[in-house]
Amino acid sequence: MGLPVTSKPRSSRPSRRNVAAAPGAAHACAGAIKHVLACVDGTDNDRAVLEHALQVAQRFVSHVDVLHVRFDAQGASLGPQHVRRADPLLGAAAESAAAEAATRARQNFEEWQGQSGLPLRDSGTAVCRPSVLWREIVGYESDVIARIGRVSDLIVVARPDERSPSFSIMALETALFETGRPVLMVPGSTAANLFHRPLIAWNGSCEAARAIGFALPFLAELDGCVEVFTAPEAKHQAEAQELIRHLSWHGIVAERVSADAAREVGASLLAHGQVSRAGLIVMGAYTHGHYRQFLFGGVTRHVMQHAATAVLLAH
């Protein structure tokens, strides 16, 4: 006999006191996300990136590396044999723009760090409280974020908009396709509570399954019910009951909600998240292929363009 599709919030969820009473349980939970990479670019979006990263650090007792990739206008980071023979005037303009962006990013970081009170720390040995470190690396976003992101537990980037510089878009695309790590894409607004009523976008795909696996530390911290948003799809079978059963083994109560048939799936997902005041949407990215969605649109592309909620993505 299959499990019921919906469950009442908190009906079978153990209390925090019960969880904490189990030897080592609290330590295991706190250790789920220990090393966060927050990408800043010197724009107004930096604050949102840092505030969301702060929530993660405080909840999981994590360290945050705040990374700014300073554009290498001369190609010096590639080695002397690859130094570009660029137009001096263009090179000077690019150098000046890169220096200004780096200065703004550092100022944004220092202001936030002073307000957050997180201590500066370079090593993770014997760490028992959240910490932070400023990292400015000269190079190219695609190279640096791929290299550093692969050895991070979570990558936090701003959601690009029409005003975003090209390297903001590059940061998101690189984090998704070149690191194999979960990406927390955040809107450039005041940070909402990431642990309030998370919404899972479930279509049965490998990408969605990976996103849920990465999101389990967030979902396990929830007091209440997780919503599982499903929509009919030809390519994958979205068996919500099986997912709800899986989540129950992690002590997570979930209930199914369906897409609004009158809307496109992406619009329906974001609308439901707004109505339910979800603090986090969990979804697989480009489940139909990057280039197909780039050319013809799709749920991922719509969410990247319009989400006003933080989205945990995996590809």
Side-chain angles (χ1 to χ4, degrees):
M1 180 180 295
L3 292 178
V5 172
T6 61
S7 304
K8 293 182 180 180
R10 301 289 289 174
S11 60
S12 61
R13 179 74 188 275
S15 69
R16 286 192 187 278
R17 282 193 295 269
N18 291 339
V19 172
H27 175 76
C29 182
I33 300 175
K34 297 299 292 181
H35 185 197
V36 179
L37 181 67
C39 301
V40 296
D41 56 17
T43 67
D44 292 340
N45 289 331
D46 288 355
R47 187 73 186 197
V49 169
L50 296 170
E51 287 296 330
H52 283 89
L54 178 62
Q55 283 192 52
V56 176
Q58 291 176 330
R59 183 61 66 100
F60 298 112
V61 194
S62 311
H63 172 80
V64 181
D65 276 341
V66 179
L67 172 68
H68 176 71
V69 182
R70 181 167 176 165
F71 178 66
D72 183 4
Q74 300 299 328
S77 62
L78 299 176
Q81 68 274 26
H82 295 288
V83 173
R84 297 177 177 177
R85 301 181 183 277
D87 184 308
L89 293 178
L90 293 177
E95 289 267 9
S96 176
E100 290 177 6
T103 298
R104 290 193 302 269
R106 182 63 183 261
Q107 290 173 343
N108 292 340
F109 165 75
E110 290 179 345
E111 179 183 353
W112 167 82
Q113 192 259 336
Q115 294 173 354
S116 70
L118 292 187
L120 297 172
R121 196 183 305 275
D122 187 33
S123 170
T125 304
V127 172
C128 59
R129 59 175 295 192
S131 59
V132 69
L133 182 70
W134 169 257
R135 301 189 67 180
E136 181 179 320
I137 299 177
V138 177
Y140 305 101
E141 290 78 16
S142 57
D143 297 333
V144 177
I145 292 176
R147 176 167 54 87
I148 304 298
R150 288 169 188 161
V151 287
S152 304
D153 295 328
L154 177 71
I155 304 170
V156 185
V157 298
R159 180 182 71 80
D161 57 30
E162 62 277 1
R163 298 170 299 173
S164 298
S166 59
F167 48 76
S168 295
I169 300 172
M170 177 67 73
L172 176 59
E173 296 281 332
T174 299
L176 271 176
F177 288 99
E178 301 297 333
T179 67
R181 310 308 298 155
V183 177
L184 184 64
M185 181 186 72
V186 304
S189 56
T190 303
N193 182 359
L194 290 171
F195 303 93
H196 179 71
R197 294 188 64 82
L199 176 63
I200 295 174
W202 177 241
N203 64 357
S205 68
C206 249
E207 292 83 0
R210 292 193 74 217
I212 293 167
F214 285 133
L216 283 176
F218 289 89
L219 303 179
E221 286 289 297
L222 171 68
D223 282 325
C225 186
V226 176
E227 291 187 314
V228 177
F229 176 96
T230 61
E233 187 175 301
K235 185 177 180 180
H236 306 105
Q237 289 187 341
E239 297 182 357
Q241 288 180 320
E242 291 295 334
L243 174 58
I244 290 170
R245 179 175 183 271
H246 168 67
L247 293 174
S248 74
W249 290 111
H250 292 271
I252 299 166
V253 177
E255 64 180 4
R256 177 182 176 178
V257 296
S258 298
D260 182 351
R263 292 182 172 184
E264 294 292 332
V265 174
S268 177
L269 172 66
L270 295 183
H272 184 84
Q274 186 173 13
V275 169
S276 66
R277 299 178 66 185
L280 178 68
I281 294 174
V282 178
M283 64 178 287
Y286 296 114
T287 62
H288 288 280
H290 180 207
Y291 295 106
R292 179 177 180 274
Q293 291 212 37
F294 181 80
L295 293 173
F296 303 109
V299 176
T300 304
R301 183 61 54 179
H302 183 89
V303 170
M304 284 184 176
Q305 292 175 343
H306 301 288
T309 302
V311 185
L312 193 147
L313 298 159
H315 179 70

